[in-house]
Amino acid sequence: MNNQLRILRGMQKWSQSDLATRLGVSRQTVNAIETGRYDPSLPLAFKIAGLFTKPIEEIFTPEPLNGEASRA
Amino acid sequence: MLMESEIQEEPRESGLAKFKRSLKSNVWLFVATVTYLVTLFQLREHPEWSPMLRVALALLPVLPRLVFLWVLWGTFKALDELERRIQQEAWAVAFGGTVLVSTVMNVLSAHGTGFENYPHGLEIGGAYIAVFFFWCLGVAQAKAHYS
């Protein structure tokens, strides 16, 4: 899953630690989400969306399925 | 966009709280180990003691171990979702690895192709060591994967 978390965090001028504190998770978790190595749970995704007052689908977008990108 | 004052901050365990919890669990693990060694020594030195007393002494180290597990459970509950995922994967590796090693030892021992000195596989001491080894391996692997 792709996400805009790093960009949104940058716009707020928050560090990963700042965001982690606001979300109630570890900095490691924020880093893993930003780098796309970990997909957050639905409750955490909603919390992130609520924090940035954006719909979830604006922050998290699914990766295209195999062959979808070439057909588009 | 939310104002700074409007943002709900989730209470999360501080570094000091984590340290205290870790210290607490290690103290109970130490107490459990010392109790085990003392009772082991006493039971070997006094075979004349009544069976009831021997059973009570043999089970005594279980109590601090239970407290240790309780503290460990509290630590697990305080983790965030990624940390829990890492621990789940690490424990899966620990369980699978220990079962695998134990099975290999048993099979080789049963066929007389090695480990004749270990007819009962890993036994409890070996199992503790194997679980710890594979748990460390699992944590390292999961952390490398997610960071």
Side-chain angles (χ1 to χ4, degrees):
Chain A
M1 195 153 59
N2 300 316
N3 68 76
Q4 306 293 313
L5 196 56
R6 190 184 293 271
I7 296 165
L8 292 169
R9 178 174 63 79
M11 286 165 67
Q12 297 290 333
K13 294 186 171 56
W14 290 340
S15 66
Q16 285 186 341
S17 295
D18 293 336
L19 181 57
T21 305
R22 285 171 166 81
L23 294 171
V25 297
S26 63
R27 193 200 61 77
Q28 182 189 17
T29 301
V30 170
N31 183 58
I33 295 170
E34 283 188 358
T35 52
R37 290 180 181 271
Y38 174 69
D39 293 333
S41 65
L42 205 50
L44 181 55
F46 271 113
K47 203 180 279 183
I48 292 168
L51 187 63
F52 292 108
T53 56
K54 286 185 178 296
I56 284 183
E57 61 268 28
E58 271 189 34
I59 303 174
F60 298 98
T61 50
E63 288 181 8
L65 297 171
N66 285 346
E68 197 173 287
S70 56
R71 282 199 301 274
Chain B
M1 203 65 68
L2 283 176
M3 299 296 289
E4 285 277 325
S5 57
E6 291 175 315
I7 295 168
Q8 293 286 317
E9 289 195 9
E10 290 282 318
R12 183 168 159 73
E13 204 173 36
S14 67
L16 183 63
K18 268 187 177 177
F19 174 75
K20 277 183 180 173
R21 193 186 285 278
S22 170
L23 186 69
K24 202 172 159 185
S25 68
N26 285 325
V27 164
W28 280 109
L29 187 61
F30 178 74
V31 170
T33 308
V34 169
T35 313
Y36 171 71
L37 292 174
V38 168
T39 53
L40 191 71
F41 178 76
Q42 290 298 324
L43 288 171
R44 277 185 186 167
E45 288 293 305
H46 301 282
E48 75 281 4
W49 283 352
S50 72
M52 284 296 286
L53 181 61
R54 293 178 65 78
V55 167
L57 275 177
L59 291 177
L60 194 62
V62 173
L63 295 175
R65 277 183 199 168
L66 281 175
V67 180
F68 167 70
L69 287 177
W70 179 253
V71 176
L72 210 61
W73 178 248
T75 306
F76 186 77
K77 298 289 279 181
L79 298 177
D80 76 12
E81 59 182 57
L82 177 59
E83 290 167 334
R84 278 191 199 185
R85 171 78 68 89
I86 288 170
Q87 285 302 319
Q88 283 167 354
E89 290 183 12
W91 281 106
V93 170
F95 176 76
T98 305
V99 168
L100 186 71
V101 168
S102 185
T103 306
V104 167
M105 283 178 74
N106 275 320
V107 168
L108 290 178
S109 174
H111 290 85
T113 49
F115 299 108
E116 284 84 4
N117 295 331
Y118 302 94
H120 305 295
L122 283 174
E123 294 191 345
I124 192 71
Y128 278 135
I129 294 168
V131 165
F132 181 69
F133 171 76
F134 284 111
W135 176 80
C136 290
L137 203 67
V139 168
Q141 187 272 332
K143 282 196 170 183
H145 177 74
Y146 290 115
S147 59

